[in-house]
Every structure is written in structure tokens, then in C-alpha cells.
Amino acid sequence: MKSGETPQKTDVSPASVHERSSQLPVVGAIVLLTLLAWAYLFHLHAQMAGATAHAGAMRAMGMSMHQPWTMPDVGFAFVMWIVMMAGMMSPSAVPVLLVVAKAASARGESSRTPVVFGAGYFAVWTGFSAAATLAQWMLHDAALLSPSMAAVSPRVAGIVLVLAGLYQMTPEKRACLQHCRNPIDFLMMHWRPGAAGSFGLGVHHGWFCLGCCWALMIVLFAVGLMNLAWVAAISAVVLLEKTAWGGVALARVTGAVLILVGGYSAL
């Protein structure tokens, strides 16, 4: 250092250290949850690959594999959807959870506030998982899903893709996406103290997130619920829409692509 120069100071104040310490557990928990969810999805994919091969052999012998679901089958599908939503939505929830952790720290609220907020957020996606399980159950019993859990009819798959693409263009999609892209504005308007307030806030934000992303999730009914390449692609689109520059434009481009592909498939 030259004489006369003033050494630069780094921000090591107690407040900044406390802020970082409140955010690190949030990031660590989301990373762990995402890794566990994807590990389970890879495990299911490996199991289903063997089951699909078995189903093909059974069909070759003239034996039907379209057995009605039992309640354990419904429960298994419900767990699958919950884990899949956790793996797909957790990364895009990091920004809002970090903002919640920072706001809770600044307001002197409990360090558990981000956890309670996250519980409300994922309660909404658990409800979506229940609805998706019911839809899958009905489609399976109607023999409209293949062993890979994709629509057996290209026309049905095309209609699903077109509907998802059209929703990407709607004002409702843009409004929900703006709330997800600007969590600070959302929290300033709706913040409520205490555990009940944090949970309700998580549910409220979760509804906007659901309104933003549900159409992308139903694409899986067209391409295969255990098609991990599509699961990863949709996860990436959700994350980029919410966090990247040009996310709103990306939603429109994605919608246009889905409409074109779906229209071609349906026709």
C-alpha cells in the first residue's frame, strides 16, 4: 500500500454478520431439499424404466396393464407429486425466502420466520399436488395415460400444450409473475408479524406462485410425468422467469413455443 492511501474497509458490522447468519441456513436448507427431491426422482425414474419394460412385455403377450388404482397407488402418486414440486419449485423460492429472512432479522422477529413462511408456500403446492394426483388417477383409470405416464393420444397431448401456452400469454400470468419477481414489494404490502402471519404470508405468496406456474406443470401430462429432461427444463424456465432479466419475455416465448408444438401435435 502506498503512503497516504486509506485502506478500504469491509462490511463486518454485527448487523451484516447477523444478516448473513440468518440467510445461510435458508440457502443450505433449500439446497438440501432440492438434492433430496431430485435423488428420489432419479430413484423413481429407474424403477419406472423397469416397470415400463415389463409392461411392454405384458402387452406383447396380449395382457392388459391398465389396472384400476388402489388407495396405496393414490398415496404413492401423491408423494411423487409432492417431491416433484419440491424439487422443481424450491430453487425459485430462494429469493423470497432470503428477503423474508432479512426482513425478519431487521424487525427482530423469530429466526423461524422463513421456515414458517416456507411451510405456507409449500402448503399451496401440496394442494396442487393433491389436485394433480386426482387428475392422474382419473386419466389412468380412463386408460388415457401410457406406462410412462404421458398422454397416449397425440391430440390430447397437443391440446394440453396449447392450453399451457395460451395461459403463458394471459394478463393473469403476467400479474402473478410480477409478484414473484418483486418479492420486496409484495412483503412490504402484506407483511404480518408472528407465526400465523408468516404462514398466511407464505400461503398468499404461494398462490401467486401457483398462478404463475401451474400451466407449466400440466405440460408434464403431455410429455410424461417422469420425463426428467422435461422436469429439469420446466424447472429451469420457472427459475429464469422469476429471477432472470427478461423473465416476462421468456414467458411469452415459452408460450408461443408450446402453442406451436401443441398445435402440430394435435393436428
Side-chain angles (χ1 to χ4, degrees):
M1 180 183 300
K2 297 179 181 180
S3 60
E5 289 186 352
T6 303
Q8 293 182 348
K9 295 182 179 180
T10 57
D11 184 8
V12 291
S13 64
S16 64
V17 172
H18 180 68
E19 179 182 315
R20 295 189 188 107
S21 66
S22 68
Q23 293 181 342
L24 283 176
V26 173
V27 176
I30 291 298
V31 170
L32 179 60
L33 177 62
T34 303
L35 290 176
L36 290 176
W38 276 94
Y40 183 72
L41 291 177
F42 276 108
H43 171 69
L44 288 183
H45 184 267
Q47 284 191 323
M48 285 191 57
T52 301
H54 175 67
M58 298 293 282
R59 284 197 305 271
M61 293 185 291
M63 301 175 67
S64 174
M65 293 298 294
H66 288 292
Q67 300 294 332
W69 271 7
T70 62
M71 290 312 297
D73 295 324
V74 177
F76 174 81
F78 182 49
V79 171
M80 179 197 72
W81 273 103
I82 291 176
V83 173
M84 190 168 5
M85 292 303 101
M88 296 176 74
M89 301 309 302
S90 293
S92 66
V94 169
V96 68
L97 288 172
L98 290 179
V99 173
V100 169
K102 183 177 180 179
S105 177
R107 293 168 181 261
E109 296 200 23
S110 171
S111 60
R112 294 190 296 272
T113 297
V115 177
V116 178
F117 176 92
Y121 178 90
F122 284 107
V124 173
W125 282 104
T126 300
F128 173 81
S129 298
T133 300
L134 179 61
Q136 184 183 348
W137 186 3
M138 296 171 62
L139 291 170
H140 172 85
D141 284 359
L144 295 177
L145 290 180
S146 69
S148 61
M149 295 189 289
V152 295
S153 167
R155 181 167 297 177
V156 172
I159 291 172
V160 170
L161 294 176
V162 169
L163 289 175
L166 289 174
Y167 183 78
Q168 290 284 98
M169 307 287 193
T170 62
E172 289 77 14
K173 164 74 179 191
R174 290 195 295 274
C176 291
L177 184 55
Q178 287 297 341
H179 279 287
C180 292
R181 288 177 60 83
N182 299 283
I184 296 178
D185 294 342
F186 170 82
L187 294 175
M188 289 179 63
M189 292 175 58
H190 303 287
W191 185 272
R192 296 292 183 273
S198 299
F199 184 84
L201 190 66
V203 171
H204 193 173
H205 190 268
W207 273 112
F208 283 121
C209 184
L210 178 62
C212 176
C213 304
W214 70 267
L216 292 173
M217 299 306 165
I218 68 169
V219 168
L220 294 173
F221 282 106
V223 300
L225 300 181
M226 276 288 102
N227 188 327
L228 296 189
W230 272 92
V231 172
I234 293 172
S235 302
V237 169
V238 168
L239 180 61
L240 291 173
E241 282 186 356
K242 290 185 177 183
T243 62
W245 181 86
V248 176
L250 174 62
R252 296 172 184 170
V253 171
T254 304
V257 172
L258 289 174
I259 291 171
L260 289 174
V261 174
Y264 177 80
S265 178
L267 296 176

